[in-house]
Amino acid sequence: MELRILGCSGGEADGERLTGLLVNGCVAIDAGSITAALSVDEQVLIQHVFLSHSHLDHICTLPFFTKNIFGRTHEAVEIHALPETLDALRRHLFNDELWPDFSVIPSPNDPTIRYTEIQDEQTYDVCGLQITPIRVNHLVPCVGYKVDDGKNAFIFTSDTAETDRIWEVANATPNLRMIITEASFPNEQAWLAEASKHLTPARLGAELQKLRPRIPVRVYHLTPGDRATMLPQLLALHDDRISLLAQDERLSW
Ligand SMILES: [Zn+2]
Ligand SMILES: [Zn+2]
């Protein structure tokens, strides 16, 4: 499995890209950076996009992606997401006001993108991967994903406050190679993390008590202006599983 980190909403402030992963060149998970990180030739190879939730930092390049691939693909790109997420896309983004409705362009029978509803804990087989959404705890309906090619697996929790199920799934995945999870605000802003359903370093530390040992934990979604405050707070957890995820990083198993 080839995993490419297109953006991780928490790199250096300059040139910061928003959340998105690319698996085996053909499956995008979240769409915060597709058009910022990939050439058009690479974008055309994406056949499936799995969205975790509707927040802009996870979907904002979808409009430009649809325009870039328009007329250059044989099949519609499938946009997989929870019904509530697809509803938000239809009502607020691809509504002909903010962007043309590419789910009926060039025609309803031959569109550029096709919406596919997902359900948590169903497994979807695409591009040789088994992709399983797992419900997490965020301000809007949100899923993380387990991605498994039969030999190796990783889990992306997406944005979440305290949650249990995804850690249970992680502990029941023997071939798990990595968890990608979030820390969004410094410990001093626990109130803001609570209100927006995110984690602080201290709360991440408590969450990781639920995860079995020796699984690398890669952290994303730090607020760029708060990195200097948050890095010592992450180090203070004294958990050697933890390191930061990096934009443009490529991993393979
Ligand atoms: Zn969010
Ligand atoms: Zn986010």
Side-chain angles (χ1 to χ4, degrees):
M1 187 183 331
E2 303 285 334
L3 171 60
R4 187 167 164 186
I5 310 304
L6 305 184
C8 50
S9 299
E12 309 298 335
D14 289 344
E16 164 67 5
R17 291 198 220 117
L18 302 171
T19 302
L21 316 175
L22 182 68
V23 188
N24 290 352
C26 85
V27 174
I29 298 182
D30 280 342
S33 288
I34 291 175
T35 57
L38 298 177
S39 68
V40 173
D41 286 344
E42 290 171 322
Q43 293 171 41
V44 168
L45 299 177
I46 296 174
Q47 296 170 19
H48 299 270
V49 179
F50 285 81
L51 299 175
S52 63
H53 66 301
S54 58
H55 284 161
L56 277 177
D57 52 321
H58 300 253
I59 65 155
C60 62
T61 64
L62 268 186
F64 317 121
F65 170 64
T66 56
K67 181 163 183 290
N68 289 351
I69 64 170
F70 174 72
R72 300 186 54 149
T73 55
H74 298 297
E75 296 270 324
V77 172
E78 280 194 63
I79 310 294
H80 307 258
L82 290 171
E84 297 91 339
T85 308
L86 294 178
D87 189 47
L89 291 183
R90 287 192 189 96
R91 285 190 297 132
H92 301 302
L93 188 57
F94 292 103
N95 58 5
D96 291 331
E97 290 184 47
L98 288 196
W99 203 252
D101 182 359
F102 275 93
S103 70
V104 295
I105 295 173
S107 73
N109 292 329
D110 182 26
T112 306
I113 58 171
R114 181 173 291 123
Y115 298 126
T116 305
E117 288 189 5
I118 57 169
Q119 290 178 17
D120 35 313
E121 314 238 356
Q122 296 285 312
T123 295
Y124 301 89
D125 281 289
V126 299
C127 299
L129 300 165
Q130 290 86 50
I131 301 184
T132 309
I134 300 142
R135 187 76 65 148
V136 293
N137 175 21
H138 195 36
L139 204 56
V140 292
C142 184
V143 288
Y145 286 101
K146 180 172 86 161
V147 180
D148 193 331
D149 69 358
K151 290 182 182 165
N152 302 292
F154 74 92
I155 285 177
F156 165 61
T157 70
S158 190
D159 295 4
T160 188
E162 289 81 352
T163 189
D164 289 325
R165 181 61 186 149
I166 204 159
W167 304 116
E168 292 170 6
V169 171
N171 290 335
T173 303
N175 61 347
L176 185 66
R177 305 295 173 229
M178 175 188 289
I179 291 256
I180 299 172
T181 191
E182 71 132 283
S184 295
F185 301 112
N187 292 337
E188 294 78 5
Q189 294 179 356
W191 60 273
L192 181 55
E194 180 97 24
S196 57
K197 299 279 190 183
H198 284 291
L199 296 173
T200 61
R203 288 174 182 216
L204 171 63
E207 287 297 282
L208 293 181
Q209 302 296 315
K210 304 171 187 172
L211 176 66
R212 72 178 198 258
R214 289 189 293 281
I215 301 293
V217 175
R218 308 298 304 278
V219 179
Y220 89 113
H221 215 272
L222 282 70
T223 301
D226 289 325
R227 276 174 70 90
T229 310
M230 293 178 71
L231 291 178
Q233 294 177 351
L234 288 166
L235 283 174
L237 298 175
H238 300 293
D239 186 333
D240 59 12
R241 294 173 294 181
I242 295 177
S243 61
L244 293 186
L245 194 67
Q247 181 171 297
D248 294 318
E249 197 172 342
R250 293 169 191 246
L251 301 135
S252 58
W253 299 283

